Structures are given as structure tokens and as C-alpha cells.
Amino acid sequence: MRRGTGQLDRRTFILGASTAAALAQQGASSEAGRQVYELNRGWRYGGKVQPGFFALDFDDSKWESVTLPHANVLLPWHSFDEKDFQFVSAYRRRFRALPEWQGKRVFVDFAGAMTASLVAINGHRFEEYKGGYTPFRFELTGHLKYGGDNVLAVELDSTERKDIPPFGGNIDYLTFGGIYRDVQLRVVPKTFIENAYVKPVRPLEDNRALAVRCYLNGPVSGGTTITVELRDGVRVLKGHKVALSGAAEFHDVTVEALGAVELWDLKRPKLYDVVIKLANGDGSTDEYRTRIGFREARFTPAGFRLNGAPVKLRGLNRHQTYPYVGGAMPARVQRRDAWILKKELHCNIVRTSHYPQAVEFLDACDELGLLVLEEIPGWQHIGDKAWQDIAVRNVGEMIRRDWNHPSIVLWGVRINESDDNHEFYTRTNALARSLDDARQTGGIRYKQDSELLEDVFTMNDFGFPLKPPNHPLYLNTEFNGHMFSTKRFDNITRVAEHVVRHARVHDQLASDDRYAGGIGWCAFDYNTHSNFGSGDHICYHGVSDIFRVPKPAAYVYKSQCDPEEDVVLEAGFFWSSGDKSEAGGPGVVPILSNCDRLKVYFAGALKQELEPDRKTFRHLKYPPFFMDLGNLPLDPWGDLKIEGYLKGKLAKTLTLSGSGKDADLKVVADDAELDGDGRDATRVVLMTTDEYGNIRPFATGAVTLSLTGPGEIVGENPFALAGGCGAIWIRAKEEAGTVKLTAAHPYLGRRSIEIRVRAAPAEPV
Ligand code: GAL
């Protein structure tokens, strides 16, 4: 059971019956012939590898006890050495093989480990798996011991191996190390459902159908049948059963005459379950479940269409890494990023730059209605034939893992910003199309003069004005970024210019239907190599900082939603009298809002009434406002109050303090409850604010943290605030209770928060 997702694991997907619910309570799930056991707790981690640990008599009792997701080393949030996580490490997990598994097949499924995994069961080694972003599995059947401990051992190479994408050249991000995604054991009958590609056909027409391609593993005997059911919750809407005539690479089942369904769209992302039942000729059964949405997503010469309606794409690139632990964050934290992008920043698309990201993140995109461009691992460099073979394999792994996510609308099948390579990209496109003929392909390039083998010309265009589209289907996949790296706490001139640069690109994209839209670089600041970024192992290219706290540019995105959804009124500047060259105020500064009129008060008196700047930003639905208060009296200096009006009615107020003092310390957790499984985690943001709750952008001060109860701090303690803010994460221990976190600031005093930790039964094997 995946915690915090409220739904079941699609890779193996099984629950639904009451016995399954009971098993789920124990950390296992079962239905119709398969069981899945989580293997995320009870690992031993040996750090840098000790030769011989594959041997069965190896004593690992002194090794550290860890849970997954796991980072091979904890790091400061910046200014560390990128070599610190590049080493070979060792993990071991003992488990019991249950008697009822005998006669069945047992697999171990790794969702992702960085970067090359040498796995052994009871001393038997499998071939090394090369790749840090894609799932892999090994069959343990025949190597298990019944009635004794089984030892699963992993030698994990987290160095930058030149033989594996994305490595071989320079890359502008860090990959980090560790078994940083989940592991499961899967027990299935001799013949089982390996995977299923479920394609809604003609979703917009009355005669809509479901085309289901079932991939079986194992011999197919006479009398085998497959039944496909479309379900809405527990309600079976339609089913269809077919008898198989023999072995084949896959078996197609079409469910016709589905009747009315609710479409998946951005506002109401309705999801359905598809349950596939296999009845083998020998009496064994298997069941596989996946989640789908009915939608038609097409890039056309007049832009992107969702269910036939034009949608201007407006989004951001996301790296999957976090401070301290790299990629090793659990489901809840992965899902939070999707929530931030959709609900806080009101984006409608995200690009998983530059690799397949956690399935939990994609699940959240499905549930929230956030479109996705997903791409294979790589950055500018193309390696030799063997390297390219891995990249082609990555295309297949990515698509097979994620083909049923309605949120995914485009596959990126080129190495980001690589040069043309006709043969290589002919292969990646052919594979993508053969697996999934419902989605278009793209491949991200940095120049227009490049061979188009994909359907959509996906272009990183960092200049301004943007280049006119040179192909009928055209999407901007990166802009701004390194051209204007901006810290959340930079000088007001810079943060205001950062705002304008994001706004003007979206304005130009909105000016011409041939642009499908744009995905800015990028959502969050990210850790990188020393030869990129600001010299502290960070690229400050985000519209939010590395802790996911917005910079003013984030409000360009946030303000593009309709006020019925959220009334937005945010400052694109910091309130001060002299931090800009113009005297007497902040100068000309942006305000981001979807209100139709603003009133600005200084020191209690109405100073200005503002309208959106429709002259400069003629195409944006909600252009920025610009405030120029001229020379303000410095005495008395005072607060700035902005009122936002909609159709003449006051809809929102924003007040920025003129007092110049740190008034409050705020400690804000994303979640009030966690699962006590040793894995679950939540972010806790620490901020110094003015008396109105606005972050004090230049505040410093070390916050000393203390914690009681079943949790631990993932992060630095004391935490030195950077730009008045920062975050740590709290990870639950394997125990129920209440975590109390107290933060003590040198002069703002102490604040405490509590997080309840629910009991989570131990894993059964
Ligand atoms: C692009 C690249 C991104 C990032 C960005 C910085 O060229 O694709 O990964 O490095 O530049 O602006």
C-alpha cells in the first residue's frame, strides 16, 4: 500500500476486497492470486561498500538501520562537494518467504535506485541494472529459502558512470545517491499480467470504447480468459471477457459501448479504474488494476487542445531533488510538489526535466488535473552505441510505466538539448509510437535548425522576443533560467525584473495561437555541479526557492487563474524606501493580481488607483499592474496597503509593513498527520515575518530546533535563515504518537507545532 496517496499501486495494483483490506493493514495486499509486500523498512545500510557483503555469513548487525526512500548521505542544502554522494554503497534486507508462495513466482520490484544496482538474493547475483530513474525488477523464484532468512543485497554505484545516461558530459543538476524510491515483493501465479496499456478510444464521441492491450508473462494454456472491467469506484460500468487462443506478445481486448462517461479535464480530473482479471487454464488467477481518464489531448497547428478545447499551456520545469536528501522523499512530499504547481502557482503543465519522476508525483498530477511532459534521462551529451541502447530502453521503460496516466500528454524522446542524431532518434520515436500510438512525441532542442523526427517541435528558446514558430506543432519548453538567475532575496530591481521577464514571455506566447504555450525554467531552485549556477551548488533559476517558497516571479503564474478559483494579489517587489536607485520609494514595481482594479494606500492615505498594464501585456489574461509612487515622504514612513477590486467590490487586501522590523517567527508544516512507518515526511517552513505575515526578505538569524516524540529532523539544526526563510522536513519514526517541534529564534522567541503520527503496522515479511 502506498501511503498518503489514497489509492493503490498501479505497478501491481490489487486491493479492493475485504481480505485485501486486512492484508493492507499488515503492509501487504492481495487479490485474486497475487500478493504485494512492501520492502521499505528494515533495511541495513553499510555506507561505502565493504567487499564480501554479498556472502551469506556476512555480519551486518553493525550497519545502520534505514528505511526507503533513502539518501546515501545527508548533505547541507548548498555549498557541499558534489563528490560527497558519488560512491559505491551497500544495502541488505532480510525477509521471510511465506509457505504460501511456494509454487508461485516471486519478483522484487525497485522503483528507482541511483545509479547502477548490483542485486543479489541469497548470494545469487543478477545482472547489473544501469539507470537511476527507471524501475527494474528481478525474479527471485528458485532462489528463495522457505523456513529461513532470505538476504536481499544491493551494491549501489552512485558515481557518475559515463556508460549510463545522463552521464558522459557536463550536466546542470545533481543525481545524488541511494535506493531513493520504494521496493516491493510481488508474488504472482506462473502466468500473470505483466502490464496493461489502456487506451480510451474516441473519448469525445458517443461510441467511445476502451482498447486494452494486456501483456502476460508465462505460458498460456487452453481455457485462459481475460476479463476487463471499467469501474467508477466499486461500481462496474462495463465489462468484457475474451478467451485466449494461445501465446502472443500481447492480447488485445476492446470494451465497446461504454455509454456516458465523465471526461478528465483540468478543472474536474475524473478518474476511473480498470480491472483486468486473468483466469489461467490451470485454475490460477491474477488481477491487475490501473487508473485512467477519458480525455483527448492533441497538439495542433493552432495550439494545444484538451477535449477539443484550446488550452494555452503555462507551466514550469521541475527537478525532482530536494535539499539535504536529493531525490529521496516519500510519496507525500512528491505529491506536494504537484499540489504547489497546480494549486499554489496555478500552472496547467509541468515538464519532468530531465527524466522520469516518481509515480506518486504523476498520480497527483492525474488527481489534480496538471498536464505533464515526461522525458527520458539525459542532458546535451549523447554517448556511444551502448549508451544509446540504454536511452532507447529508457524510452520503453518510461512509457510502459506511465502510459495510463491521463495527465501525460507528450513523451520527450530526445536527450534534452542534444544535437541531432538521425539514427538514434529514429529509434526512440519508433519505439514510443509502437508502444503508445495515442500520444504525440516531442524532444527538447536548443536550436530551431534541427531535424524534426517527433510530432511536436519542443524548443528551449531563452531569447526575447521569442523566435516565431518554425513548425506547425510548436511548444516552448524552457525560457529565462540562467539568463536571469534570481535569488528570492535579491535586490528589488532584480526580483522585479525577474517578474517582468516571466510575464513578457507568457504574453508573447499568448499572442499567437501557433505557440502551444510555454514551460518556464524552472519551478524550484536546484542543486547543481560546481561549474554551473551561482557557485554554491545551486542554480537560482526557480520561480520558487529550493525549499519551494515562492519568489515574486512565481506570482506571474499564480495570478493567471480566474478569480472564481482564487483571488490573487501579490507584491512583485519588497517594500522599502531606498533599495532601488530611484529615490523615495521602490520605483516602478509590479503587482501580480487577477483583480480588475487596485487601490494603493501609503501611510493610510490613498495614493494611486491602478489598472492592469494592458498596453505592454496585451495578450495575458491577467497582466501585471505597475505601481510608481514617485517621491514619497520619508517622514513619516509607513505601511503600504493595496486593495484589489473585482467589479467594484473589494476582493482582497495586501499590507506590507514599513516598520522595518522582524515581527514574528512562523513555523508552518504542510501536514498535521503522518504515518508512523519511518518513511513518511512533511515539510516545515521557518519564516521571519513582518506584523502582517509577509516574509522579511533579508532577515537572517539561526533558528534552533528541538524535537520530542516519534520523529526526526531532516535538515540543518540550527537552521540559519536565508532571506528570512527556509525549511526542514520531519520524518516520522516507526511508532505512533505526537511530534512536537520547537523553534527558537535569537530574538523572536520560541514557537512550537505538533504533528500527529499514526500507527503503521510493521511490514509482514
Ligand atoms: C537549459 C537546460 C536546463 C538548465 C537551463 C538553465 O539549457 O536544458 O537543464 O540547465 O538551461 O537555464
Side-chain angles (χ1 to χ4, degrees), residues 607-669:
K607 286 282 168 196
Q608 234 172 48
E609 297 203 26
L610 301 174
E611 307 245 331
D613 182 0
R614 294 196 197 286
K615 252 204 224 122
T616 320
F617 300 90
R618 285 190 297 139
H619 311 284
L620 271 186
K621 189 153 185 209
Y622 299 105
F625 294 73
F626 287 88
M627 176 183 86
D628 181 4
L629 293 182
N631 286 333
L632 289 167
L634 296 178
D635 189 18
W637 183 251
D639 295 351
L640 185 80
K641 187 169 92 169
I642 307 169
E643 290 177 345
Y645 288 82
L646 283 164
K647 296 193 183 110
K649 273 205 182 134
L650 180 63
K652 193 131 192 171
T653 304
L654 173 70
T655 311
L656 306 174
S657 173
S659 73
K661 64 172 204 260
D662 298 344
D664 198 4
L665 170 69
K666 286 209 164 61
V667 180
V668 184

Side-chain angles (χ1 to χ4, degrees), residues 6 27 36 74 103 167 185 192-193 217 226 241 255 334 408 418 473 489 550 564 632 689 698 728 732:
V36 174
L74 287 177
F167 304 119
L185 281 182
F192 66 96
I193 304 165
N217 183 318
I226 291 178
K241 182 173 176 176
V255 190
Q334 300 289 338
I408 298 178
S418 56
L473 314 188
F489 40 87
E564 295 82 67
L632 289 167
T689 67
F698 310 120
I728 53 106

Side-chain angles (χ1 to χ4, degrees), residues 64-71 74 324-325 328-330 333 674-684 707 709-715 728-734 739 755 757:
E64 190 190 345
S65 290
V66 300
T67 57
L68 309 183
H70 182 253
L74 287 177
Y324 319 120
V325 295
M329 281 293 186
V333 180
L674 293 175
D675 290 320
D677 58 4
R679 301 160 19 80
D680 201 5
T682 188
R683 176 182 65 156
V684 179
L707 183 145
E712 58 190 346
I713 294 167
V714 179
I728 53 106
W729 276 256
I730 288 183
R731 188 196 292 130
K733 288 193 173 158
E734 294 181 71
V739 168
I755 296 172
V757 180

Side-chain angles (χ1 to χ4, degrees), residues 172-173 319 351 353-354 379-380 416-417 444 446 460 462 478-483 521 526 532 539 541:
D172 171 24
Y173 52 97
H319 266 304
R351 170 173 166 224
S353 53
H354 300 295
W379 202 84
Q380 297 188 351
N416 171 63
E417 293 190 335
I444 284 69
Y446 67 95
N460 292 349
F462 284 93
E478 286 185 41
F479 51 87
N480 285 345
H482 62 284
M483 306 295 283
W521 192 264
Y526 55 96
F532 289 93
C539 275
H541 300 170

